[in-house]
Amino acid sequence: MNVAIVGCGLIGGKRAAYMRNARLVACADEMPERAKTLAAKYPGVESSGDWRATVARKDVDVVIVCTRHDSLASIAQGAIDAGKHVLMEKPAARFSTELEPLMAAAERTKVCVRVGFNHRYHAAFRKARELHTAGALGPLMYIRARYGHGGRLGYEKEWRANPTLSGGGELIDQGVHLIDLARWFLGDFVNVSGRAFTYYWNMPVDDNTFMLLETADRRTAFMHASSTEWKNTFSFEIFGRDGKLEITGLGGSYGVEQLAFFKMLPQMGPPETTRWEFPMEDRSWELEFTEFLEDIKLGRQPSPGLTDAHAVLRVVERIYKDSGYDHHA
């Protein structure tokens, strides 16, 4: 498989570095120098400032889209229309309506489109999923989760603070990971309530969002995404009738990635506890791309894909609308 990357910033560089069993042949960016810099790291890779010409190349099989939120959908649409398989970064769009033409185009062209909710591929989540699938928790009841960072100097002036470019703030940035992970374990949310607030940063998008999401069978996800978390935090707890899983840390500034399994005993009382630590390098980007190649080989619909991203953005839109943010009015 020959791959083109559109968007050659931090994430585009990560995608190139963790690509396995495929060949990078082209890089494109609206800032041609960035494309040139990334391309120079890999022999024989061509660079361009024109993404349309890049995705139309006959020698390109797969396009990875790593741009700002405002151009994710339009570039992916161009790649799909050109008959290319697409891996696009989360959240895939600013609004769910931006994804609907892509869903129709992907169905028409029969290409595979994967959305980069890479947290599903973190080692602790892979192990958690394995335990859940094996029935270790019994029927699931609810999820409680927190995800946050503390921003940085000038954060309120970055593109993420401009709703025209980003579609929102912390909810559409880190919050979408929480929604996707909760859907992965609990299923679709039919009742959505929540509030987004701007407490600290001087910007027209949210820096904190509190969510209460409910499935048709009344299983609940209670979650908080924040960019006023002065110590970077990740915590994801999954409660079943027979036990609980607790994932903390994502590596780096979030702390060592860990998973704890608390198994309820017949006599109740203190649970039987098993812990795993994953101090090794994060391989989620590599594993995600490897599975995408397998999707293409088997002709199967990727998961997470466009329908997952669309469902996540519908949750985001409801919370923004109920919170009075104009960009989702």
Side-chain angles (χ1 to χ4, degrees):
M1 286 283 168
N2 288 341
V3 179
I5 292 177
V6 180
C8 300
L10 175 66
I11 302 303
K14 278 191 173 185
R15 289 295 182 189
Y18 289 104
M19 193 181 300
R20 300 290 184 271
N21 301 313
R23 185 165 70 101
L24 182 63
V25 296
C27 295
D29 195 287
E30 64 180 5
M31 298 170 62
E33 282 303 311
R34 289 207 308 189
K36 187 175 180 180
T37 298
L38 181 58
K41 296 179 180 179
Y42 303 94
V45 178
E46 297 180 19
S47 66
S48 172
D50 182 355
W51 70 262
R52 290 178 178 83
T54 299
V55 304
R57 286 174 50 147
K58 287 191 166 88
D59 63 338
V60 168
D61 305 301
V62 174
V63 175
I64 303 177
V65 188
C66 310
T67 61
R68 294 185 314 242
H69 299 172
D70 62 317
S71 55
L72 285 169
S74 59
I75 295 171
Q77 179 82 57
I80 294 168
D81 288 343
K84 315 300 184 183
H85 303 291
V86 177
L87 169 56
M88 57 194 306
E89 293 302 331
K90 63 82 185 168
R94 296 167 299 175
F95 315 105
S96 62
T97 51
E98 290 182 322
L99 290 183
E100 287 160 11
L102 275 69
M103 295 163 76
E107 177 64 28
R108 184 180 69 252
T109 59
K110 305 302 180 188
V111 299
C112 294
V113 183
R114 173 174 282 272
V115 178
F117 287 111
N118 70 298
H119 286 26
R120 292 194 189 193
Y121 294 87
H122 271 263
F125 274 103
R126 303 306 283 178
K127 183 64 178 178
R129 186 72 178 184
E130 175 189 314
L131 291 167
H132 165 54
T133 301
L137 299 180
L140 297 187
M141 299 186 296
Y142 60 93
I143 283 172
R144 181 172 62 202
R146 296 174 294 133
Y147 196 2
H149 64 89
R152 50 197 162 263
L153 290 176
Y155 186 68
E156 75 280 10
K157 299 174 183 177
E158 296 180 10
W159 68 265
R160 286 180 178 82
N162 181 341
T164 302
L165 302 179
S166 63
E170 177 64 7
L171 174 58
I172 206 169
D173 185 17
Q174 289 189 316
V176 292
H177 277 301
L178 294 181
I179 299 167
D180 175 66
L181 291 167
R183 281 187 73 250
W184 193 33
F185 283 95
L186 297 182
D188 281 318
F189 297 112
V190 297
N191 293 317
V192 174
S193 58
R195 287 293 184 272
F197 299 95
T198 308
Y199 284 133
Y200 179 84
W201 296 101
N202 183 21
M203 57 187 186
V205 297
D206 56 295
D207 58 24
N208 278 269
T209 295
F210 305 87
M211 298 173 265
L212 188 63
L213 314 178
E214 186 182 341
T215 65
D217 55 0
R218 306 194 67 184
R219 297 187 293 176
T220 302
F222 176 53
M223 306 188 292
H224 175 209
S226 174
S227 55
T228 62
E229 188 70 61
W230 306 132
K231 169 62 179 74
N232 288 9
T233 296
F234 184 85
S235 170
F236 200 93
E237 299 167 279
I238 308 164
F239 292 80
R241 291 184 62 84
D242 301 333
K244 165 189 165 179
L245 293 172
E246 181 178 20
I247 296 165
T248 55
L250 290 172
S253 61
Y254 289 89
V256 174
E257 190 172 330
Q258 300 179 72
L259 171 66
F261 173 36
F262 303 99
K263 181 180 179 181
M264 292 302 298
L265 301 175
Q267 67 272 27
M268 304 292 282
E272 177 185 289
T273 302
T274 308
R275 298 181 186 273
W276 295 264
E277 283 199 356
F278 305 94
M280 63 286 290
E281 181 185 9
D282 170 22
R283 294 185 60 218
S284 63
W285 305 85
E286 176 188 343
L287 295 172
E288 181 181 47
F289 185 75
T290 298
E291 186 154 317
F292 184 42
L293 293 181
E294 191 70 6
D295 294 334
I296 296 168
K297 179 182 175 182
L298 298 176
R300 71 185 177 197
Q301 202 56 244
S303 178
L306 289 171
T307 55
D308 299 290
H310 188 271
V312 169
L313 285 172
R314 290 296 300 271
V315 172
V316 168
E317 288 164 351
R318 176 62 185 271
I319 293 171
Y320 278 150
K321 182 179 179 182
D322 289 350
S323 301
Y325 280 86
D326 292 341
H327 50 280
H328 278 269

